[in-house]
Amino acid sequence: MRVLRRWTTVLVVIAGTAMLALLLWGWVRQRPQDVPWAPLDLGQPVGVFTGRKLTALTRDRAQCLMLLDRAGIRYTALPARSGNGECGYDDAVRFGTGGARSIGYRPASLGVSCPVAASLALWEWNDLQPAARALLGAEVVAIDHLGSYNCRRINGRSSSDWSEHARANAVDIAGFRLSDGRRISVLRDWRDKGPVGRFLHQVRDGACALFATTLSPDYNAAHADHFHLDQAYRGPMGWRACR
């Protein structure tokens, strides 16, 4: 009798484990963006591991360009560039017009690393446009930026680490232009208590899920007029910054 009860317990545990495995398998199939081993797909909703997968593209240029192509993102691959110290890049792109994206950049000459470009596209689809429609009753038609590539160290100091800007792996976003003619400024509107301020805070939070580093006016005075977004690679499980 004791042996029978023991076997019954074993069978119940096996059946329960099998049921949990089936549930997990079904969840993974429905939400591949939430598991670390599933390949990145820019057409999937943003998940728990999307940001880390985007950052990992800094080590795989061919995969990154393939993902842009598959997502229908039009771009021009820029010639490699070298500079002093750790400055330079070999994976920068410039967005083209049309295709799966609808937002332009001012100035239009923006060139960023491929992982930053992929992240900006997901930010547009999953955060900028939904937030603009819901909170402002309009769409974002252009993004004002302060540039990407800049051969310098962090904070411009001569002895600090090299900035991600030195590799075109960062972009500074200053504001947004809407389809109804309004212009939203990070500097002017960050502390707004109405829908414009809520929009800026919501899209900042959305960027945190996509970029390795997201810095806003909440970080320090040096970022009072822009969002700093970069894909600094700090290892597979390296720390991420959101402020």
Side-chain angles (χ1 to χ4, degrees), residues 14-119:
I14 292 173
T17 302
M19 180 63 69
L20 286 174
L22 284 172
L23 291 173
L24 178 61
W25 179 75
W27 179 75
V28 168
R29 289 196 64 186
Q30 293 180 6
R31 297 280 303 177
Q33 65 272 26
D34 286 336
V35 294
W37 59 83
L40 177 63
D41 182 347
L42 300 183
Q44 291 284 344
V46 175
V48 175
F49 290 94
T50 301
R52 293 191 180 278
K53 293 174 185 179
L54 287 165
T55 304
L57 294 176
T58 59
R59 307 172 75 83
D60 195 339
R61 176 179 182 272
Q63 175 71 6
C64 186
L65 294 176
M66 182 273 290
L67 288 171
L68 295 186
D69 291 333
R70 182 181 294 173
I73 298 170
R74 294 181 181 175
Y75 65 91
T76 299
L78 300 180
R81 180 171 182 171
S82 60
N84 297 327
E86 296 183 18
C87 294
Y89 52 77
D90 61 5
D91 67 341
V93 301
R94 181 175 296 137
F95 285 126
T97 57
R101 294 182 56 264
S102 59
I103 295 179
Y105 285 82
R106 304 286 183 91
S109 58
L110 178 67
V112 294
S113 70
C114 183
V116 169
S119 305

Side-chain angles (χ1 to χ4, degrees), residues 190 201-219 228-230 234 239-243:
W190 180 251
H201 283 76
Q202 185 168 317
V203 299
R204 187 276 310 271
D205 294 346
C208 290
L210 298 171
F211 293 89
T213 309
T214 300
L215 303 177
S216 72
D218 282 348
Y219 180 56
H228 168 93
L229 311 175
D230 76 43
R234 306 180 180 102
W239 62 273
R240 300 172 70 82
C242 172
R243 182 69 185 276

Side-chain angles (χ1 to χ4, degrees), residues 218-236:
D218 282 348
Y219 180 56
N220 60 19
H223 294 81
D225 63 349
H226 69 277
F227 297 154
H228 168 93
L229 311 175
D230 76 43
Q231 285 296 10
Y233 184 79
R234 306 180 180 102

